[in-house]
Amino acid sequence: MQIQDLPYPDPGVPDARSGTRFLVWLGRNQLGGQVKALVWGLLHFVSVSSLPFCVGFAVQAVVDRSGARLALAGGVLAVCGAGIALGDTMLHRVAVTNWITAAARVQQLLARRTALLGSALTRRVAAGEVVAVSTGDVEKIGWFVEAVSRFTAAALTVVVVCVALVVYQPALGVVVAVGVPVLALSVLPLLPRATRRADFQREKAGRATELASDTVAGLRVLRGIGGEELFLDRYRRASQEVRHAAVRSARMWALISAIQVLLPGLLLVAVVWHGVHLAREGRITVGEMVTVYSAVMILSYPLRHFTEIAMAYSFSRPSARRAARVLSLERALDGEGTREALVPTGDLYDPATGLLAPAGRLTAVVCGDPDAAGELAERLGGHPADSSELPSALVGGVPLDELPLDCARTAVLVQDKDPVLLSGTLRELLAVPASGDVTPEEALSAAQCGDVLDALAQGALDAADPMDARITERGRSLSGGQRQRLALARSLVTAPGVLVLDEPTSAVDSHTEARIADGIRSLRRGRTTVVFTSSPLLLDRADRVVLVHEGEVAAVGLHRELLHSDARYRAVVTRETDDEAAAHEADRPDQLKELENLRNLRGITEEIEETA
């Protein structure tokens, strides 16, 4: 895989059982690039490590006054120089390719998992954690994948050089062969502490990122209540904690680097001291001493990659563990499904609460608990809570968790109470998969987005058509009500068989809300629509109103009927006090009589319609 070939047609199925297993799986999938980097790395490091032998050979040739051997040494040095240049260039090229392609593979896997989990992801993993995994952690994982091949080439080169020195000059080669492994393993006792400090720094950085994300998301509210300075102070403290943690981590890595410089220096002193004694005794030649001395100096270059791989693994292991945690998350529904790919039609039914939304009707659902309403809305759309063991919702008698994912999403569309607008033009926002039964203009009109179009047209001087006006990230340039109406228009234009709306008008005024209620009823006529709301304006236009109390259906009827007949419904919708409820109970006989007359009138109207 080359950089120009990205993205991957299929990034594969990761082994997310642990961070280490994930790194192994990732390296196995990058095997071709790893082998290339290993080959070029061996060419580079072996060429570099051959220089001392060439230099020693040349020095001995000068001592022996041999011009032929000196010329041969020069030729070998030229070949080594060419090998160094070619190997270093290609190693860097292949290593960077491995880094980028590995990071791209992880990003694709994370994006695919995010799309599969949807809103369930941020309920199980903090938003700041998701951002950190998809940015900084991806880079650290790519770094480790890229460093493995260079480390392998360096390690093989060190082994080859040590063996060559033992064969070339055993008296000094044994000293080097014993000392080099000590150098390579000297930093191992410090790695656990360095890893802990790096993990602590990463944890603090994740918290700071999450705090910044929450602050930016709620900036409009914070400015309204004058809380910017409070959250700014919190972020200052969090960022200072990150700085202190980074300094402590850097101190440990600086100590490791210092050891990697000190110990090779001590080994070099030992080799020179021992070599001088051997040269005085005539046991080695000057050229052999220069060769071993130069080899020890050159070995510090590949040995640096031992420190790098230790750092890369220490940083990437927790990153891989966090990425594996996200990639191991599964949605409650089976992604493949057990039924054939047919989109079901019919009534929407939730066995857990007994909620029934008849096909082709507008059903309003009233819940006293907003959190329970959100969970029920998600369950109706096939997004149950991960810890939920409740049965799946059914469409036309078909459980949603037995359908393939794309069919379940086509059958039921859920718009939650806090929909997200992506950046781009309004035309791009409404360019969603749809049946074509509803045009963008009809959806915008039903959602009462006329003033939104005017605002976008005024703010976009370079766009003659409001549909070409750009919307900023998450629609931050729009008010809450404007964002809510645009999101509603986006949901309406998809024209799904079943549409579930969770508080779609909570941020608009009553006049606009009444027009939106009429627009939804008109545009969705003949389609199944479920609206979670406590707004009387929406409830009064529903064909059927259902009260869900303590996890089960408590009452079913029309809005005006339930206002008179059910105190719990009335308390939620009108927010009446206990005194008002008592006064209402005193008037109950008259209200029941009025309700009976209303039911009789409704029956007569239905008979007339049937006769007609």
Side-chain angles (χ1 to χ4, degrees):
M1 172 62 71
Q2 298 298 316
I3 296 176
Q4 62 265 25
D5 299 326
L6 294 174
Y8 287 94
D10 180 13
V13 180
D15 186 350
R17 288 176 290 177
S18 67
T20 303
R21 290 178 182 270
F22 178 65
L23 288 175
V24 171
W25 175 87
L26 196 60
R28 193 165 59 245
N29 280 271
Q30 303 281 129
L31 193 57
Q34 296 286 356
V35 172
K36 291 180 182 178
L38 176 61
V39 171
W40 292 116
L42 284 173
L43 174 62
H44 174 64
F45 289 123
V46 170
S47 298
V48 170
S49 301
S50 300
L51 294 177
F53 296 92
C54 298
V55 171
F57 188 74
V59 169
Q60 192 61 41
V62 172
V63 172
D64 297 338
R65 299 179 180 276
S66 174
R69 284 188 294 169
L70 183 61
L72 177 61
V76 175
L77 279 172
V79 172
C80 290
I84 292 172
L86 178 62
D88 189 27
T89 301
M90 296 306 298
L91 173 61
H92 179 74
R93 179 185 179 88
V94 176
V96 171
T97 299
N98 289 341
W99 186 337
I100 294 177
T101 53
R105 185 188 295 273
V106 178
Q107 285 180 327
Q108 279 188 251
L109 291 170
L110 290 170
R112 187 170 65 176
R113 183 60 51 180
T114 301
L116 180 64
L117 292 171
S119 60
L121 176 62
T122 52
R123 292 198 304 270
R124 302 175 66 179
V125 182
E129 186 77 4
V130 175
V131 173
V133 170
S134 59
T135 53
D137 285 340
V138 167
E139 293 297 320
K140 292 181 177 66
I141 293 171
W143 176 29
F144 175 73
V145 172
E146 175 264 338
V148 166
S149 54
R150 289 191 290 109
F151 163 73
T152 305
L156 291 176
T157 301
V158 169
V159 173
V160 170
V161 171
C162 289
V163 172
L165 287 176
V166 171
V167 174
Y168 177 73
Q169 177 45 253
L172 286 178
V174 171
V175 177
V176 177
V178 173
V180 167
V182 175
L183 296 181
L185 301 177
S186 60
V187 297
L188 289 182
L190 299 177
L191 288 181
R193 181 178 296 181
T195 302
R196 286 195 298 271
R197 292 190 179 186
D199 288 346
F200 183 73
Q201 175 193 351
R202 170 61 181 72
E203 179 184 352
K204 292 294 185 181
R207 291 179 181 176
T209 302
E210 183 177 354
L211 179 59
S213 176
D214 291 342
T215 302
V216 172
L219 189 58
R220 185 185 297 270
V221 177
L222 291 175
R223 286 176 176 171
I225 63 176
E228 306 102 306
E229 287 300 324
L230 174 62
F231 273 79
L232 184 59
D233 289 340
R234 291 182 181 178
Y235 184 74
R236 285 197 187 102
R237 290 195 296 269
S239 63
Q240 288 302 312
E241 290 177 358
V242 174
R243 184 179 67 83
H244 290 309
V247 170
R248 293 185 70 248
S249 179
R251 286 174 179 168
M252 183 56 63
W253 289 112
L255 176 61
I256 292 175
S257 298
I259 292 175
Q260 289 293 304
V261 174
L262 174 63
L263 293 184
L266 295 177
L267 177 62
L268 188 62
V269 171
V271 168
V272 171
W273 179 81
H274 187 53
V276 169
H277 282 282
L278 294 177
R280 285 179 176 178
E281 295 173 359
R283 296 170 57 183
I284 63 172
T285 65
V286 174
E288 290 174 336
M289 181 178 174
V290 171
T291 298
V292 176
Y293 171 80
S294 301
V296 174
M297 291 189 63
I298 292 295
L299 280 178
S300 63
Y301 173 55
L303 280 176
R304 287 205 299 266
H305 291 80
F306 284 72
T307 304
E308 183 190 11
I309 195 65
M311 293 179 64
Y313 181 69
S314 298
F315 279 103
S316 66
R317 186 179 63 178
S319 297
R321 184 170 61 248
R322 286 184 287 269
R325 179 190 171 204
V326 175
L327 294 175
S328 64
L329 298 177
E330 297 288 346
R331 73 185 192 98
L333 308 184
D334 181 9
E336 298 298 327
T338 57
R339 292 179 180 260
E340 58 181 327
L342 294 177
V343 179
T345 58
D347 298 342
L348 176 64
Y349 178 68
D350 177 38
T353 59
L355 171 64
L356 174 66
R361 307 287 294 276
L362 174 58
T363 302
V365 181
V366 177
C367 289
D369 183 1
D371 294 334
E375 293 176 1
L376 178 54
E378 291 176 355
R379 190 162 65 249
L380 290 178
H383 300 272
D386 301 301
S387 60
S388 174
E389 298 180 357
L390 299 175
S392 171
L394 292 83
V395 176
V398 179
L400 288 176
D401 60 0
E402 294 184 8
L403 290 172
L405 180 61
D406 55 346
C407 290
R409 295 296 169 265
T410 303
V412 183
L413 173 66
V414 179
Q415 176 183 306
D416 61 24
K417 59 171 59 70
D418 187 22
V420 175
L421 300 182
L422 302 180
S423 60
T425 64
L426 180 56
R427 195 183 307 278
E428 293 170 341
L429 175 70
L430 299 179
V432 293
S435 64
D437 296 337
V438 178
T439 64
E441 291 74 16
E442 291 173 335
L444 290 169
S445 177
Q448 299 300 308
C449 295
D451 64 317
V452 184
L453 296 178
D454 294 338
L456 290 174
Q458 292 175 4
L461 300 178
D462 56 342
D465 188 348
M467 297 293 289
D468 295 325
R470 293 196 63 81
I471 299 173
T472 57
E473 180 189 4
R474 299 178 68 91
R476 299 193 190 282
S477 60
L478 304 173
S479 67
Q482 290 173 329
R483 290 196 300 269
Q484 196 173 57
R485 282 177 282 163
L486 286 179
L488 176 59
R490 180 179 57 187
S491 299
L492 291 175
V493 81
T494 60
V498 179
L499 177 60
V500 180
L501 303 172
D502 188 5
E503 295 289 353
T505 59
S506 59
V508 300
D509 59 82
S510 58
H511 297 288
T512 305
E513 186 176 33
R515 292 194 295 269
I516 290 176
D518 292 333
I520 293 175
R521 182 179 178 85
S522 174
L523 197 61
R524 293 289 300 172
R525 183 174 288 111
R527 296 184 178 91
T528 307
T529 308
V530 180
V531 181
F532 285 81
T533 182
S534 59
S535 168
L537 294 171
L538 283 173
L539 294 170
D540 192 45
R541 286 161 176 79
D543 300 317
R544 174 186 175 91
V545 178
V546 180
L547 172 64
V548 177
H549 182 69
E550 295 183 353
E552 60 182 19
V553 173
V556 179
L558 294 176
H559 169 59
R560 296 182 183 181
E561 294 177 357
L562 294 176
L563 274 179
H564 295 294
S565 62
D566 195 291
R568 292 170 299 186
Y569 178 83
R570 187 169 57 252
V572 174
V573 174
T574 65
R575 297 174 176 84
E576 66 180 7
T577 63
D578 294 339
D579 294 338
E580 291 172 339
H584 204 96
E585 287 296 325
D587 298 335
R588 186 174 180 81
D590 295 336
Q591 294 168 354
L592 290 176
K593 184 176 180 179
E594 181 182 347
L595 179 59
E596 185 63 29
N597 293 334
L598 181 62
R599 288 175 176 171
N600 293 336
L601 180 61
R602 181 183 177 188
I604 294 172
T605 304
E606 291 177 351
E607 291 178 2
I608 294 174
E609 291 177 350
E610 291 175 358
T611 303

